[in-house]
Amino acid sequence: MSDIETNDDEFSWDTTVTLQGIEVVVPLKKSVIQQEIDDQVSIKGSHRKAILRSTIKKFSMGSKKGVENLNGDALKEFQWNAFILLIDDVIANQHMAMRNDPALVEKALSDPRLVWPEK
């Protein structure tokens, strides 16, 4: 749930997600997806909820400004918040069960919203 350092040479792709009725293009990398799932699964419940509330608030503020009016760091932050909320939606309140069940993590990683689209 924090900025993650990645290898810039790693393959990335964009996915479009709808959050709060707004379509958002979110850049994805496999390592970042894995790290965010691990982060959300490992964090204490009360702390996780507080971070998600803050993320929702920041996302809502960005959406009120209008995605088309965001650029540079503001757009990156908006996309990052959308990514965190997407991972939260993929986990679907199974973060506790995922701590002890790698199969649930693999299931989350194979969610169609997180998989590179085959052409």
Side-chain angles (χ1 to χ4, degrees):
M1 295 183 144
S2 61
D3 290 322
I4 299 170
E5 300 215 6
T6 62
N7 178 351
D8 289 334
D9 293 335
E10 181 183 359
F11 179 76
S12 64
W13 67 98
D14 292 337
T15 191
T16 302
V17 296
T18 302
L19 299 164
Q20 298 180 0
I22 300 168
E23 283 194 350
V24 182
V25 175
V26 178
L28 299 175
K29 288 185 179 184
K30 188 174 182 174
S31 65
V32 177
I33 293 167
Q34 178 71 56
Q35 185 62 53
E36 183 61 24
I37 289 173
D38 291 346
D39 287 352
Q40 288 197 29
V41 166
S42 66
I43 200 165
K44 262 178 88 171
S46 59
H47 190 71
R48 182 175 183 274
K49 288 178 184 178
I51 291 170
L52 288 172
R53 280 192 303 273
S54 174
T55 301
I56 291 167
K57 184 177 178 180
K58 290 176 190 174
F59 181 84
S60 295
M61 288 173 30
S63 66
K64 286 179 184 174
K65 290 178 183 176
V67 179
E68 65 281 357
N69 296 321
L70 300 175
N71 53 41
D73 289 342
L75 180 59
K76 286 180 183 178
E77 180 181 2
F78 185 74
Q79 290 172 317
W80 180 250
N81 290 325
F83 172 68
I84 291 170
L85 297 174
L86 170 62
I87 297 299
D88 177 59
D89 192 49
V90 168
I91 290 173
N93 292 319
Q94 294 183 347
H95 59 282
M96 296 293 287
M98 292 174 95
R99 289 180 182 174
N100 300 315
D101 190 347
L104 289 175
V105 173
E106 289 303 315
K107 181 179 176 189
L109 288 169
S110 66
D111 185 287
R113 296 170 287 181
L114 301 178
V115 177
W116 177 71
E118 298 287 332
K119 300 216 176 183

